[in-house]
Amino acid sequence: MTYPTYFEALDARQLLADYPIGEAFVERYTAMSRDELRARQERDFARLMARGWQVPFYRRLWSARGIEPGDIRGLDDIGKLPVYDKSDLMASVAEHPPFGDFGGVDGADRPPVIFHTTSGTTGRPQPLLFGPKGREVGNLLVGRMYRWQGLQSSDIVQSVYGHGMINGGHYIREAVTHFTNAIFLSAGTGIETRSAQQVGLMADFGVTVLVGFIDYIRKLAEVARDEGLLEQLQVRMICGHLGTEDRAGVEAVWGGAKAFDWYGVGDTGCIAGEGPERDGLYVWEDAHYLELLDVDSGAEVNRGDTGDMVVTCLYKNDVAPCIRFNTHDITHELAGTGEIAFKRIAGFKGRSDNMVKLRGINVFPHAIGALIENRADLTGEYICRLRREESGRDAMLVVLETRGGSDRDQLSALLREGLGVEVEVDLCPPGGTAAATQIDVRQKPIRLIDERGR
């Protein structure tokens, strides 16, 4: 049987022309107007919708709302389409095992497919499918971001993203090796390469850049100090997912290394990232159309108001198109203009499906990280436990790791002021939350344990 190989299914020169990197990226989008950008988005959205109608998942989803081909004439009509989320994809998998019917990969003439899964942070791991174009544009967006932030050919990059079936580590490796000229060390998580070995690799190979989730990168600084290696390490740049955390904290423990924030999920790849000025995250609008929708009503929020990030991948028109995917991650759009034509967001502020309502106040567990940063008495690690009292009222216990000398009452007051509601506080020694957060074995540590059903 004759079929195209991965590289025959991909026009690399056209890809780089459509999605420039390096100086070409800055030149194009510094000069481009918002009207020109919108015209490009409309063109790509029309192609994406044509592909969407070929995929059983979307035909079923849209037809159930009475939508027919031709009803959606452009991005102004996108609000007529229903949003979907991971639960819909997992239902598709249950009804059409093992991969679901959202990939559009039926038939012997399908393109080459890359298969991974999510990390399972919010439940059972979800299948992730990519075609050559979708995969490489996703890789390119990360490589473009790293280069714009200052990654050099002389850099040695160590990644602490997970591998195995998880998508994260693989596509970050592809991003660096395909679209930068830096040398890449795929160390992985603490279970793949023990933390002491991780810092040993940094010392042995002169690592200058760390990429991964900030929680674990911060922990590695503590390990490097314990191993007596911190002073000899030459880490100058960190690119991770700061979210609600204060970048000054991770920069301080790494001796002044410059930290950059970015945001993405497995289904969509890299959606937004900071530029060199580190003033908000630029949405890669040549590749994505991002909506911010009210968590309760689903209506579009005003600029500056917080909403769920709902993403349409304008480039992903080969395998597993992504059209109005609700990430359930929340953020808000920033006012004003940045260095390039793309709009900016504040970055990850919490998950709407991980939100806890305590006495009428919305509490996001991830917000606690920012409140306890930069305290010498705390490690920055914590876990929240949600329980239901006999009265029927929900209560939350926050367990904080302390190095000693912490005042429980003072910390309770700090969290009450920052969260807007009273929570209980307990203290434990360094490492005391590790078993609950699983920080050594997971890409994203667990921050909330719901014990109400126990």
Side-chain angles (χ1 to χ4, degrees):
M1 180 181 291
T2 300
Y3 51 83
T5 65
Y6 183 88
F7 291 104
E8 288 173 312
L10 178 72
D11 186 340
R13 290 186 181 276
Q14 187 62 51
L15 183 147
L16 288 168
D18 291 339
Y19 304 93
I21 57 179
E23 293 180 0
F25 160 69
V26 177
E27 290 174 3
R28 175 178 295 182
Y29 293 112
T30 300
M32 182 175 284
S33 69
R34 292 292 301 179
D35 288 341
E36 291 174 303
L37 179 59
R38 178 70 174 213
R40 176 191 171 134
Q41 290 179 319
E42 292 283 6
R43 179 201 70 190
D44 292 347
F45 181 62
R47 294 173 181 171
L48 179 65
M49 285 298 299
R51 176 64 175 129
W53 278 112
Q54 298 172 349
V55 177
F57 174 82
Y58 287 109
R59 286 203 303 270
R60 185 174 66 255
L61 185 69
W62 298 340
S63 297
R65 297 292 185 91
I67 299 169
E68 299 178 356
D71 288 348
I72 309 301
R73 296 181 297 276
L75 286 169
D76 286 342
D77 294 328
I78 197 171
K80 299 176 182 178
L81 295 172
V83 301
Y84 69 97
D85 61 15
K86 177 179 177 177
S87 66
D88 297 298
L89 297 178
M90 295 306 290
S92 169
V93 171
E95 295 169 8
H96 306 276
F99 302 116
D101 65 346
F102 53 84
V105 293
D106 295 331
D109 60 344
R110 66 165 175 78
V113 174
I114 299 91
F115 173 66
H116 289 292
T117 69
T118 62
S119 62
T121 301
T122 59
R124 183 180 177 185
Q126 172 199 316
L128 296 173
L129 303 170
F130 306 89
K133 178 190 175 186
R135 183 68 173 188
E136 292 304 327
V137 173
N139 295 338
L140 180 149
L141 296 175
V142 176
R144 167 206 277 180
M145 175 186 69
Y146 286 165
R147 290 174 61 163
W148 194 32
Q149 291 170 346
L151 185 69
Q152 303 294 322
S153 296
S154 57
D155 280 315
I156 312 296
V157 180
Q158 183 158 323
S159 166
V160 299
Y161 288 103
H163 295 87
M165 286 305 301
I166 297 172
N167 180 53
H170 298 282
Y171 110 93
I172 297 298
R173 172 181 52 79
E174 293 162 11
V176 174
T177 56
H178 295 185
F179 296 103
T180 83
N181 201 28
I183 293 176
F184 186 79
L185 280 64
S186 52
T189 64
I191 199 170
E192 293 173 294
T193 306
R194 290 186 302 107
S195 299
Q197 290 178 290
Q198 293 254 8
V199 297
L201 286 171
M202 296 178 203
D204 290 344
F205 295 104
V207 168
T208 55
V209 177
L210 293 176
V211 297
F213 287 92
I214 290 297
D215 310 75
Y216 187 60
I217 289 176
R218 185 178 57 222
K219 176 180 177 176
L220 285 176
E222 300 278 345
V223 175
R225 180 177 293 108
D226 293 342
E227 295 290 316
L229 294 175
L230 186 59
E231 296 302 320
Q232 62 181 276
L233 298 181
Q234 302 298 315
V235 175
R236 69 170 191 86
M237 176 178 169
I238 296 166
C239 190
H241 310 277
L242 294 170
T244 58
E245 298 190 30
D246 181 1
R247 80 177 74 239
V250 73
E251 289 180 336
V253 297
W254 277 106
K258 203 170 185 179
F260 293 85
D261 193 13
W262 71 282
Y263 170 76
V265 294
D267 304 79
T268 67
C270 180
I271 294 170
E274 288 187 315
E277 83 281 21
R278 302 192 296 175
D279 183 17
L281 278 63
Y282 290 89
V283 179
W284 310 129
E285 291 191 275
D286 58 341
H288 296 287
Y289 184 78
L290 178 65
E291 302 170 82
L292 300 184
L293 305 185
D294 184 82
V295 172
D296 297 316
S297 70
E300 188 173 359
V301 302
N302 296 321
R303 178 183 287 182
D305 290 342
T306 297
D308 271 331
M309 287 188 263
V310 174
V311 186
T312 296
C313 298
L314 297 171
Y315 67 92
K316 207 174 178 206
N317 58 8
D318 52 355
V319 171
C322 181
I323 305 171
R324 298 202 90 199
F325 175 70
N326 190 346
T327 67
H328 290 293
D329 291 335
I330 62 169
T331 191
H332 66 267
E333 184 180 348
L334 300 180
T337 57
E339 292 192 356
I340 59 176
F342 300 161
K343 67 182 179 183
R344 296 170 301 140
I345 58 175
F348 174 78
K349 299 179 68 177
R351 288 192 59 82
S352 61
D353 60 358
N354 203 21
M355 181 182 72
V356 177
K357 188 174 285 290
L358 297 176
R359 295 175 287 289
I361 302 296
N362 294 337
V363 176
F364 296 94
H366 283 89
I368 292 172
L371 300 175
I372 63 173
E373 276 267 303
N374 304 323
R375 289 183 60 109
D377 59 321
L378 302 178
T379 68
E381 290 302 314
Y382 65 97
I383 187 73
C384 302
R385 295 185 179 275
L386 183 64
R387 71 177 190 278
R388 182 152 292 158
E389 298 177 331
E390 291 184 4
S391 64
R393 189 178 73 168
D394 290 340
M396 192 165 75
L397 170 68
V398 181
V399 182
L400 305 174
E401 289 187 11
T402 176
R403 299 186 178 94
S406 298
D407 185 318
R408 190 196 312 264
D409 292 338
Q410 190 271 333
L411 288 169
S412 295
L414 174 70
L415 295 186
R416 181 174 62 249
E417 180 179 356
L419 300 175
V421 67
E422 187 84 37
V423 295
E424 300 175 50
V425 172
D426 200 1
L427 302 174
C428 69
T433 67
T437 65
Q438 300 180 36
I439 190 170
D440 290 316
V441 299
R442 296 175 63 95
Q443 284 200 118
K444 305 174 188 176
I446 297 168
R447 294 302 182 195
L448 176 67
I449 298 176
D450 190 344
E451 299 175 336
R452 290 175 296 181
R454 294 184 181 179

